[in-house]
Structures are given as C-alpha cells and as structure tokens.
Amino acid sequence: MCKLKFSNVRSVPLSLLCTTNPRFTNAERKLDKTRQDRLYFDSYADVTIHEEMIADHVRTNTYRTAILLNTECIRGKVVLDVGAGTGVLSIFCAQAGARKVYAVEACSISEQAEKIVRQNNMDDRIEVIRGTVESVELPEKVDVIVSEWMGYALLHESMLNSVLCARDKWLRPGGIILPSRAELYIAPICDPVVEDRLHFWYTVKEQYGVDMSCMYDFARKCIMNSDITVNTVTVEDVLSHPARFAELDLYSVTAEELRSVKGRFSCGSFGSAAVNGFCVYFTVSFPCSDKPQTLVLSTSPFKPETHWKQAVLYLDSPAEVKQDTLVSGEVCMYPSEESDRHICIHLEYAVGEEKRQSKTFSIIQK
C-alpha cells in the first residue's frame, strides 16, 4: 500500500513528514508522531493514490484472485479489512460470500468507500468504520483479515504493525490472514542510466567547448548517495539470481521483530559487469483453501511491473565482477529514528575478494 511517487532522480516527497528533532523530549516526540500519523493518513485522501493502486493490475487482480480462491474460508464468515481505502478488497470479500465485512479506514477516503459500497448494493454486509484499527472497537471477532499493507521495500510506512495489532486483538483461533507470508530479496545490479548521467560531464566540452569533467566526482556524490531510490529495474540490469534474505510469517511475527528485519545473502554473478548498486524487492503469498500451493504477488524485476517497482541502493563506487564472482553480505532493515513509518536499510557487502564494505540508506530526504 505504497503511494507516494518517486521520480527517477530520487526526489523523495517525504520531507514534510521528517520533522522530529533529536533533542525533543518523549512527550514532544509523541506529539510529533501524532502529527506524522495525521500527515500520513491525509496523504490517502487524494484520488491519485487510489487510482494508482487500483490501476495496478498485478496488485488488484492478485488480491481478487486470492480472495475468490479462498471462498470456502470466507463464505458465511466475518472479515476485517485493515486500511480498506476505497473498499475494493472488502467488496471482493463480500462477492466471495462473506457474511459481514468490517472495512476499517483511518482517512477521509472512507466517505468514498461508503458510496462505493452503496453503489454496489453491499451496504447490508459491508460496514465502513472510520478510524485506526488500533482504536476502533468491533462487535465481534473475525475469521479473516485481509489487508494490502505493503510499502516500498515492503516495510516503508510500517502499516504491517496495524495488521499484527488486528491479528492479536480480533482474529479468532484458526482464522486466516490474506496475505499470510512475505519474503524479501536482494540482487546486485548495474544501472546504465547512472553511468550515462556521470559520463555526461565528459561530453560537455565536445558539445559546448567547456570542459566540465571536474563535475564527475561531485555528480557521483550526489547521485550515488544514501537515499533509497524507488525505480524500475530492468531484467538486463540484474547481475545474478536474487537471494532471499528475510521471511515474515504473519501468523507469528511480532511488532518487536519488525524493528530489525535482517538476513544474509550470497549470489554468483552472471558475467562481466560493474556492480553499482543492489535492488531490493518483495513477494507476498496467499494461502489457497484446499490447495497445497500458494498464490504469489511478486515485485521482482523478472515479473510484470507493479507500482511498488524496486528499491535501489546505490554504492559509492562500482565493483567489477566476472562470471560466478561471489557477491555476499548482510541486510538489516529497521525504522528510522525520525519516524517509525520510515525505514532505513543497512547493507554490508563484499564483491569477490574485495574488502567488506557497508553503507546505510534512508528513504527520508534530508
């Protein structure tokens, strides 16, 4: 459920949310968090965000298919839709035969959800509730929790905490969660666009008679910075098979465990190239009733593009690889000190026999 657009040159429109001063007292931090939450929920009041999400066919159709494949678990049961937005998932659940759906939505888009529910003649089964799932009271426990909670790099925006709260408070024993599992992957990449932008400064003299090659180092420092860049990575730019470094089971993971999601990775390069970054992406899996296999929603660069794209981590300098060069390391994802809704990624990596290096990335523009 990620919904702030990032440009290809890393203009990250999140700075308005980054108002926490490290010298604030705990009380001031709490007030600041309240303001950050308000800004976060207000960002969902615009139609563009919901248009982008629903227009993402991979996302929306996978959820619809997963819900319909679980009709046997949903028919006649009670469903909680966490962060319901326009209510489209709630309607899918009602179409699958749910007896009652509680569509909980904290922002004003809930007013539109109510209209959509009425327009589809579902208001006898779907109840839209304005509020956060942490604060609302339901009249009964639920059999199913559905939520599109995923953010950029899976954990940006920290909405998974709300799903876990709903699980612990409202899910009946034996109930199901859609999706029920998430996995994080990483792969080394060579982004030619970055190299073209850097090489540009060597072409200025030929075009205009002014030597600006001294800008190269400055440009590299600006472009290869510590921002998490949300962008589309093409298959041709991926230099190895992706490696899974973390897995989350939504039936058992705790909010405390989400404060440090980490794992090791190791992969062999496909051929000769210059590694200038890594891409991070995720998958989520939906159980299918009476079937051993699961339905997977993937944001892999090897799969059709989604609005999540991939999270790109640019290195300070490229590293050369050959066929089967080992690229290994460890990734740790954790909430930013400035805002629990924003993530940081600490990357330690080694390419071949080179010395192990590290770099910390943030999705917050400073």
Side-chain angles (χ1 to χ4, degrees):
M1 184 179 267
C2 236
K3 310 21 98 159
L4 291 171
K5 290 187 176 180
F6 285 53
S7 78
N8 290 345
V9 292
R10 306 162 132 165
S11 174
V12 183
L14 296 177
S15 57
L16 288 177
L17 301 181
C18 308
T19 56
T20 304
N21 187 311
R23 293 173 292 181
F24 281 177
T25 65
N26 288 337
E28 288 171 323
R29 283 181 184 275
K30 185 175 181 180
L31 288 172
D32 195 58
K33 183 181 185 303
T34 300
R35 181 171 182 269
Q36 289 174 355
D37 286 346
R38 186 175 66 252
L39 289 170
Y40 164 72
F41 290 126
D42 285 350
S43 74
Y44 286 84
D46 183 75
V47 69
T48 305
I49 287 169
H50 299 281
E51 177 185 350
E52 181 181 40
M53 290 190 290
I54 294 174
D56 183 341
H57 182 76
V58 174
R59 165 202 180 269
T60 306
N61 196 56
T62 301
Y63 266 87
R64 180 174 183 268
T65 302
I67 289 167
L68 295 179
L69 285 174
N70 280 281
T71 295
E72 291 303 313
C73 299
I74 294 174
R75 185 184 293 118
K77 301 297 179 65
V78 180
V79 178
L80 170 58
D81 183 355
V82 180
T86 56
V88 65
L89 302 187
S90 296
I91 292 175
F92 291 160
C93 290
Q95 290 173 340
R99 172 174 63 83
K100 184 72 175 182
V101 182
Y102 296 104
V104 177
E105 173 54 52
C107 87
S108 61
I109 198 68
S110 60
E111 298 169 9
Q112 304 307 314
E114 289 178 332
K115 294 179 182 179
I116 293 169
V117 168
R118 285 196 299 271
Q119 188 169 31
N120 286 270
N121 300 313
M122 296 285 189
D123 48 324
D124 59 330
R125 284 188 286 162
I126 300 175
E127 181 180 345
V128 179
I129 303 173
R130 174 78 183 268
T132 65
V133 76
E134 291 85 352
S135 63
V136 302
E137 291 296 326
L138 304 181
E140 58 186 322
K141 296 280 188 176
V142 304
D143 305 289
V144 180
I145 291 176
V146 63
S147 181
E148 197 276 81
W149 52 267
M150 299 85 72
Y152 295 122
L154 187 67
L155 297 176
H156 175 61
E157 292 183 340
S158 195
M159 192 178 158
L160 180 52
N161 288 320
S162 296
V163 177
L164 302 188
C165 175
R167 176 199 68 189
D168 296 342
K169 189 174 182 181
W170 298 113
L171 188 64
R172 287 193 179 102
I176 66 170
I177 305 173
L178 301 173
S180 61
R181 185 176 300 273
E183 297 176 324
L184 281 154
Y185 294 82
I186 190 169
I189 64 170
C190 176
D191 185 346
V193 174
V194 167
E195 297 306 320
D196 288 346
R197 290 181 64 194
L198 295 174
H199 180 69
F200 165 77
W201 297 104
Y202 287 98
T203 69
V204 175
K205 184 176 182 179
E206 182 180 342
Q207 296 182 72
Y208 306 113
V210 179
D211 188 348
M212 301 187 73
S213 59
C214 61
M215 284 284 289
Y216 180 89
D217 289 340
F218 174 69
R220 176 173 292 280
K221 194 174 297 184
C222 292
I223 296 170
M224 316 290 275
N225 60 24
S226 298
D227 289 344
I228 298 172
T229 306
V230 176
N231 210 343
T232 300
V233 176
T234 65
V235 172
E236 295 77 14
D237 297 341
V238 181
L239 301 181
S240 79
H241 292 295
R244 186 179 68 181
F245 67 87
E247 182 177 3
L248 303 176
D249 182 343
L250 268 65
Y251 291 110
S252 59
V253 69
T254 66
E256 183 60 31
E257 288 170 335
L258 293 181
R259 299 197 67 80
S260 179
V261 175
K262 61 184 178 180
R264 298 181 181 277
F265 67 91
S266 179
C267 39
S269 57
F270 290 145
S272 298
V275 178
N276 62 8
F278 287 87
C279 80
V280 173
Y281 70 90
F282 66 86
T283 65
V284 293
S285 303
F286 300 81
C288 299
S289 59
D290 302 325
K291 292 185 177 66
Q293 72 270 29
T294 59
L295 182 65
V296 177
L297 169 55
S298 176
T299 62
S300 166
F302 295 93
K303 298 292 184 179
E305 184 179 342
T306 71
H307 77 282
W308 287 286
K309 303 180 182 179
Q310 289 82 38
V312 179
L313 315 175
Y314 287 113
L315 308 182
D316 291 331
S317 58
E320 297 293 329
V321 295
K322 299 179 181 179
Q323 179 71 40
D324 298 326
T325 297
L326 183 66
V327 181
S328 61
E330 185 171 6
V331 185
C332 181
M333 305 175 68
Y334 57 93
S336 162
E337 290 183 2
E338 284 77 16
S339 171
D340 282 348
R341 292 198 178 276
H342 302 154
I343 62 164
C344 295
I345 301 178
H346 180 71
L347 173 67
E348 295 186 2
Y349 66 95
V351 178
E353 300 300 318
E354 291 188 11
K355 181 181 177 182
R356 193 177 183 93
Q357 299 184 61
S358 65
K359 187 172 180 179
T360 301
F361 302 83
S362 170
I363 210 162
I364 302 172
Q365 189 178 45
K366 298 178 181 179

